[in-house]
């Protein structure tokens, strides 16, 4: 299974509660933090919801 690296690049201040919870579910707390996830439809959907706050790299 392919992997993706998700990095938080913007703050979650003044964002909806749904977007804040999505970032927490992805494991992103601080700006600059990077996590690695499997390339599944669930993860891609969550990344799509907060695409303006994160950057994504495929491995």
């Amino acid at each position: 299974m392919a992997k993706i690296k998700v990095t938080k690049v913007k703050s979650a201040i003044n964002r909806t509660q749904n977007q804040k919870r999505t970032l927490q579910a992805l494991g992103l707390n601080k700006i600059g933090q990077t996590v690695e996830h499997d390339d599944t439809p669930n993860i891609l959907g969550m990344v799509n919801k907060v695409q303006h706050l994160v950057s994504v790299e495929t491995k």
Side-chain angles (χ1 to χ4, degrees), residues 12-23:
I13 295 174
N14 289 336
R15 305 295 176 187
T16 64
Q17 193 67 28
N18 188 28
Q19 291 174 353
K20 290 179 183 180
R21 288 183 181 152
T22 301
L23 287 171

Side-chain angles (χ1 to χ4, degrees), residues 2-57:
K3 297 273 189 179
I4 59 170
K5 283 177 126 179
V6 184
T7 305
K8 184 175 178 182
V9 294
K10 284 184 129 182
S11 174
I13 295 174
N14 289 336
R15 305 295 176 187
T16 64
Q17 193 67 28
N18 188 28
Q19 291 174 353
K20 290 179 183 180
R21 288 183 181 152
T22 301
L23 287 171
Q24 285 181 343
L26 286 170
L28 297 169
N29 298 315
K30 297 182 177 183
I31 294 176
Q33 185 176 7
T34 302
V35 292
E36 192 171 299
H37 288 288
D38 290 329
D39 191 6
T40 62
N42 292 337
I43 297 297
L44 292 177
M46 291 196 306
V47 168
N48 192 33
K49 286 288 187 181
V50 292
Q51 66 186 356
H52 55 287
L53 302 175
V54 299
S55 68
V56 181
E57 298 174 25

